Amino acid sequence: MQWGQIKTLFIICFLILDIFLLQQFLKTMDSRSPSGDIAEPKLEEYMKENVKGLDKLPEEQVKDSFITVKARNFTADDVKTLKAMSEQEVDLLGSGNLLYSEFKEPVPIDPDSTKAEKELELSEHILSGGEYVYWGKDDASGALIFFQTNNSKPIYYSQSGFVVAFVNSDNEITSYLQTAVDEVDRQEPKSMITAYSAISSLFKANALPMEDPEITETPTVGYYSFVDLDEGQQVFAPSWHFAINDDLHYVVMGSEGQFSQHDNPTFVRNTIRKAQDGMRDAKLSDEEIEELQNVYQRLLESTRVSDEE
Amino acid sequence: MRLEMIKTLGLSALIAASLLLTLGIWNYKPNYDETENVESNYTDEPLQAGHEESKKSIIEPSKVIFQANGIFSSFENRGDQEAFYQEIQEWSLTGLDQGIQTDQKLPDSDDYSVQLIYPLEVPAGAIRDLFTLEENNINQVQRGSFDRIFLNENNSGTVELVFYNTEAKMSIHAEVQNAGAADVLDQYADMDGKINYIEYAEGAGAPIYIPQGEPEINDLTFSVDTFTTISDLDPLLNNLFTNREVMTSNRLESGGTSYSDGIRELRAYESEKYMEYVNPLPENRTIEGSELVNQTINFLNAHRGWTNSANDEYQLYNVNVQRNEVTYRLVYNEYPVFGQNDKQATIQITWRNQPYKYDRPLFKLGEAFDYGEPPDLPSGEEIAGYLEDAKGSGSIKDIALGYKLVDEGISIRLVPAWFKQDTTGWSELDLSEMSGLGEE
């Protein structure tokens, strides 16, 4: 009889203990799970109401690699090859990793032509033209922007892998600036955050414009680096590109969601500044320097037109 | 009998369940998706040169001023200041529930016997870490801050503390519970070996205290242990870079090395002996000042980022809540050190849940091997005179003796000098403005 009573007592004790433990267990599950943020669902609702074009987001899980690259130095042979392609005046700037060239005969380019047509036209006149994709136009100066690709994906807004073609009022390319990188190493592909969580991190950080943000192009995967070095090796991380309201560009890192904002006019201006800086180290005569200085000054001014309006 | 059987089964089931749940709690690991894990995985590997610190020893007053019959004084032996501060930190406080009082006048010199002057506005939340609180009623004063603490023994023999903000003219009152508190005050007040201080109260702000006579502090030269190589920095790199295998390093034209994974960058400057790190995290909501201090101290403790030696230490010198920025300054023998390049003398962190920016010295002071003569500095009286005459001295909040850090390559020299604090922060007092004073 006594043992029976002890058992009842034990049952009650363990019942209480189990309830307590269960409660603890649920608590740890909640606090440690990454989706423990209660505000999240609300934010998602809010984003769905505010951001247009969310249906453009690709849904699949994408994998891509971090790449390590090195700036390509253009050689005298490259210049020869270039001159054989079409008549142009070539200057190597910086330590030889920035190429500036003026066409003797401006190359006409139809502003209404397709992306592929522009790429084809350009590839007939520049080195490794096939590696570059048409990115867009700087509306202020009319310059055309091409990004170098790696594994056929663009390297976004890098001063180390681009072609900027300057266009005159008759829609002819008069001159261009070019840099390129070569791949040194490539990591194992890793899964990236989805396009959806990439746009969420932009939304959460209040980085999108207040009024009617709309995703105007299907987001694509490419490479990006926050650290733009002229020399040595640098790492580019797989990342998502979003075009918002046509001319605002965001690049979101595919690994952790850090992002940066870009626009085409600023990018073109920075390439011209890079050319100005590059003159210092280049082996040029005083006359050439003076001439180039005037050219770049004019180009810089052309990019500022829209700023003053 | 049948009932007993059911009870036995039920009890066994309950015991089994409790065991399972216990194991569950111990071993539960969420299956983080690799890609969704935004937090970096901090490892426990520490910096060789460093150690851990507590909030108590990081938040310290720059001056401790005793007052008796209108005469101001402080310890000549700087070690006594530290000892005194440690002693009063043992106290437990009550009465914070009265909250923050606004529009308060600065206590008169009759109303206190000791005042502690801090080099920054300390968030009031830190009171909980500096002292023991009887009841946890810090919430009532959480939004406040203070840059001075006035200590006074009242008629009933207990000690009262007034946390005062000289800018906002707000105060927080507290009472010490410990019976021996008044004795501690008396003991240190009566202690021999004090130097007198001049009170300069003409400025717009709170009075400034300047030690009388010519400063007797030596010009010192130290051997220096740097940790700028990749193996020295290894713990830090592990700590800051989630993705070590993709990290590359590049020599910088300016001398030094840049480590980057395409997102974050750490630049270690070898000859300049400091580093800069940036992780481009998006803007974060601002967090409360004392929380900012907590989190940055925890971050530094995690990799033992306090790389000071026996006689020097890092102290909290600035908190900027708007920018989520915290500065810890090197302090030698209770005298603050200011660098010509201030990155050599401060650990500065901008916090966005993780470090967004982290700039710090990459050296540790070794043995002082050259004790130079005290330089010919203007006396406290001359400085007070300068305050009297100089234009624009109204904006000066404090004047203190400190060291100017001079980097001599393989050694570091600390040169004593006068420094002033104004709205832009601390800078060396321009002695050329004082021509006509001194011997020159």
Side-chain angles (χ1 to χ4, degrees):
Chain A
M1 198 54 205
Q2 234 176 2
W3 174 232
Q5 280 169 344
I6 292 169
K7 251 195 284 188
T8 321
L9 217 62
F10 268 149
I11 288 173
I12 295 166
C13 288
F14 271 98
L15 200 66
I16 295 168
L17 179 70
D18 277 357
I19 291 168
F20 171 73
L21 284 175
L22 191 70
Q23 197 192 343
Q24 285 293 311
F25 185 65
L26 292 177
K27 224 191 264 174
T28 36
M29 256 170 65
D30 256 7
S31 66
R32 292 198 208 166
S33 93
S35 54
D37 201 343
I38 306 159
E40 207 94 314
K42 270 191 196 156
L43 200 88
E44 248 171 59
E45 284 297 306
Y46 196 61
M47 184 170 88
K48 275 179 193 152
E49 280 168 27
N50 278 272
V51 182
K52 283 185 215 140
L54 284 174
D55 50 320
K56 287 201 178 69
L57 300 183
E59 273 172 29
E60 69 270 29
Q61 181 79 48
V62 188
K63 280 189 163 189
D64 212 316
S65 315
F66 280 76
I67 52 170
T68 309
V69 301
K70 205 166 154 279
R72 185 185 299 169
N73 274 333
F74 297 104
T75 61
D77 283 347
D78 288 336
V79 177
K80 252 184 236 161
T81 325
L82 206 49
K83 285 190 170 160
M85 290 166 89
S86 62
E87 269 197 68
Q88 39 189 303
E89 184 75 44
V90 185
D91 290 305
L92 295 184
L93 305 174
S95 54
N97 52 20
L98 176 62
L99 187 148
Y100 174 74
S101 174
E102 274 173 39
F103 292 113
K104 292 260 162 68
E105 280 293 312
V107 177
I109 193 147
D110 179 5
D112 300 323
S113 61
T114 63
K115 194 168 172 285
E117 280 165 355
K118 288 195 182 80
E119 286 162 15
L120 189 69
E121 184 63 43
L122 186 83
S123 67
E124 284 168 18
H125 300 277
I126 68 162
L127 288 169
S128 334
E131 289 178 30
Y132 293 83
V133 287
Y134 176 67
W135 181 254
K137 195 171 138 186
D138 165 19
D139 288 326
S141 65
L144 306 176
I145 302 168
F146 297 82
F147 287 159
Q148 199 189 354
T149 54
N150 178 294
N151 200 14
S152 62
K153 290 174 196 131
I155 297 173
Y156 298 125
Y157 292 99
S158 167
Q159 293 289 329
S160 313
F162 71 87
V163 169
V164 166
F166 300 102
V167 177
N168 63 16
S169 50
D170 301 329
N171 290 317
E172 294 168 327
I173 300 176
T174 51
S175 59
Y176 66 89
L177 280 165
Q178 181 180 15
T179 58
V181 292
D182 289 311
E183 184 182 308
V184 179
D185 189 31
R186 175 171 214 95
Q187 297 287 318
E188 281 295 299
K190 275 193 179 158
S191 12
M192 294 171 59
I193 57 173
T194 59
Y196 187 81
S197 41
I199 190 87
S200 309
S201 70
L202 288 175
F203 189 76
K204 259 190 259 173
N206 285 325
L208 299 177
M210 295 297 275
E211 283 193 21
D212 303 321
E214 183 179 354
I215 302 169
T216 41
E217 281 168 37
T218 303
T220 49
V221 171
Y223 302 98
Y224 184 75
S225 177
F226 277 95
V227 186
D228 226 349
L229 292 173
D230 276 346
E231 279 170 48
Q233 300 190 348
Q234 50 178 326
V235 181
F236 281 82
S239 42
W240 286 102
H241 164 261
F242 293 90
I244 304 289
N245 303 349
D246 292 319
D247 48 9
L248 284 174
H249 298 272
Y250 296 85
V251 182
V252 184
M253 303 317 255
S255 50
E256 294 170 53
Q258 293 99 328
F259 61 85
S260 85
Q261 197 195 329
H262 296 270
D263 61 76
N264 292 346
T266 314
F267 180 74
V268 171
R269 261 204 295 282
N270 287 341
T271 62
I272 301 170
R273 293 215 178 89
K274 186 182 166 93
Q276 285 178 324
D277 290 343
M279 279 192 301
R280 266 184 282 132
D281 303 330
K283 300 178 201 86
L284 296 171
S285 69
D286 288 350
E287 271 167 51
E288 284 173 307
I289 289 183
E290 208 187 308
E291 197 192 315
L292 283 180
Q293 246 159 3
N294 291 334
V295 170
Y296 296 145
Q297 202 51 46
R298 242 190 357 262
L299 286 174
L300 259 189
E301 271 156 26
S302 73
T303 64
R304 287 218 181 84
V305 177
S306 71
D307 283 1
E308 285 155 10
E309 274 169 5
Chain B
M1 224 37 222
R2 197 174 166 70
L3 180 69
E4 287 304 307
M5 195 64 177
I6 293 169
K7 272 162 79 178
T8 312
L9 280 175
L11 183 58
S12 316
L14 283 171
I15 293 173
S18 71
L19 283 175
L20 279 175
L21 281 171
T22 312
L23 283 174
I25 292 172
W26 283 348
N27 295 330
Y28 178 75
K29 282 209 183 62
N31 37 351
Y32 281 109
D33 185 345
E34 211 179 332
T35 55
E36 285 194 1
N37 185 0
V38 177
E39 299 288 318
S40 23
N41 305 308
Y42 292 135
T43 54
D44 293 335
E45 253 185 287
L47 275 179
Q48 283 303 315
H51 55 94
E52 291 184 32
E53 283 284 354
S54 69
K55 267 159 265 166
K56 277 193 177 186
S57 60
I58 294 294
I59 307 174
E60 281 193 31
S62 54
K63 285 177 189 164
V64 173
I65 302 291
F66 288 84
Q67 185 280 136
N69 308 319
I71 294 169
F72 303 93
S73 62
S74 186
F75 302 108
E76 188 170 16
N77 176 0
R78 306 290 284 181
D80 291 339
Q81 178 171 320
E82 179 103 31
F84 173 66
Y85 188 57
Q86 276 172 10
E87 194 128 6
I88 67 170
Q89 285 188 320
E90 299 294 315
W91 292 349
S92 60
L93 309 182
T94 55
L96 285 169
D97 48 343
Q98 294 164 35
I100 306 168
Q101 276 138 25
T102 53
D103 272 334
Q104 297 289 300
K105 277 230 295 279
L106 191 84
D108 258 350
S109 58
D110 312 336
D111 296 339
Y112 68 90
S113 55
V114 186
Q115 67 169 301
L116 312 181
I117 302 175
Y118 288 81
L120 76 158
E121 287 186 13
V122 182
I127 296 175
R128 174 185 41 195
D129 305 311
L130 297 179
F131 299 93
T132 312
L133 297 192
E134 288 281 282
E135 305 115 44
N136 198 10
N137 43 26
I138 195 74
N139 292 343
Q140 268 111 328
V141 297
Q142 192 91 24
R143 281 178 300 111
S145 61
F146 62 91
D147 53 2
R148 298 197 180 191
I149 305 178
F150 294 92
L151 283 70
N152 186 40
E153 187 182 337
N154 60 21
N155 298 333
S156 53
T158 55
V159 175
E160 257 179 18
L161 261 63
V162 179
F163 298 88
Y164 188 77
N165 184 320
T166 54
E167 280 289 309
K169 309 216 180 308
M170 295 195 287
S171 65
I172 299 163
H173 290 259
E175 210 165 287
V176 180
Q177 288 295 89
N178 307 49
D183 296 336
V184 172
L185 277 196
D186 291 342
Q187 180 204 331
Y188 280 92
D190 296 340
M191 197 181 229
D192 288 335
K194 291 241 182 64
I195 42 173
N196 284 348
Y197 274 63
I198 304 161
E199 183 185 53
Y200 176 78
E202 304 300 311
I208 295 171
Y209 298 90
I210 307 160
Q212 254 175 30
E214 287 192 17
E216 289 286 316
I217 57 175
N218 290 39
D219 187 322
L220 300 165
T221 306
F222 296 82
S223 65
V224 59
D225 304 326
T226 55
F227 40 100
T228 51
T229 65
I230 185 158
S231 59
D232 293 333
L233 291 173
D234 207 48
L236 250 182
L237 295 171
N238 278 336
N239 217 280
L240 297 169
F241 288 83
T242 35
N243 217 342
R244 259 308 280 278
E245 66 267 28
V246 302
M247 195 192 80
T248 58
S249 61
N250 279 299
R251 292 294 301 169
L252 292 167
E253 248 177 71
S254 51
T257 312
S258 152
Y259 302 94
S260 171
D261 63 358
I263 304 171
R264 305 162 179 80
E265 187 186 23
L266 188 153
R267 287 179 173 221
Y269 300 97
E270 274 133 52
S271 51
E272 290 92 345
K273 307 178 189 65
Y274 73 92
M275 62 159 245
E276 293 167 322
Y277 165 81
V278 61
N279 178 6
L281 297 161
E283 194 82 48
N284 208 259
R285 70 195 162 83
T286 54
I287 55 172
E288 211 225 320
S290 59
E291 196 45 40
L292 197 57
V293 175
N294 275 349
Q295 295 193 11
T296 49
I297 290 182
N298 288 342
F299 161 70
L300 283 161
N301 277 341
H303 61 276
R304 295 204 201 148
W306 308 101
T307 49
N308 50 300
S309 332
N311 284 322
D312 57 294
E313 58 186 324
Y314 284 96
Q315 286 181 6
L316 182 65
Y317 246 70
N318 194 34
V319 175
N320 185 332
V321 179
Q322 273 78 44
R323 301 177 57 186
N324 277 355
E325 198 178 86
V326 186
T327 308
Y328 300 97
R329 181 172 294 284
L330 187 66
V331 172
Y332 181 81
N333 198 16
E334 305 297 319
Y335 292 111
V337 178
F338 301 92
Q340 284 166 322
N341 177 349
D342 215 26
K343 286 183 177 166
Q344 292 180 321
T346 54
I347 296 176
Q348 192 165 49
I349 300 173
T350 311
W351 191 254
R352 289 181 179 177
N353 233 348
Q354 298 174 48
Y356 161 66
K357 280 190 175 155
Y358 177 29
D359 299 342
R360 58 161 301 138
L362 291 180
F363 67 86
K364 180 177 174 171
L365 290 181
E367 294 289 314
F369 61 81
D370 187 7
Y371 291 84
E373 290 289 302
D376 199 11
L377 287 175
S379 67
E381 288 82 351
E382 285 169 329
I383 297 292
Y386 156 80
L387 282 178
E388 204 89 37
D389 301 338
K391 273 176 268 163
S393 64
S395 65
I396 295 178
K397 282 168 77 183
D398 200 3
I399 295 252
L401 273 172
Y403 290 105
K404 188 165 61 179
L405 185 148
V406 182
D407 185 355
E408 297 184 327
I410 52 160
S411 59
I412 293 273
R413 193 168 147 212
L414 297 184
V415 184
W418 289 100
F419 292 88
K420 65 170 199 280
Q421 183 192 25
D422 55 23
T423 44
T424 57
W426 287 91
S427 56
E428 192 179 349
L429 198 61
D430 190 355
L431 296 174
S432 65
E433 288 172 32
M434 299 184 60
S435 52
L437 296 167
E439 267 127 86
E440 289 105 315

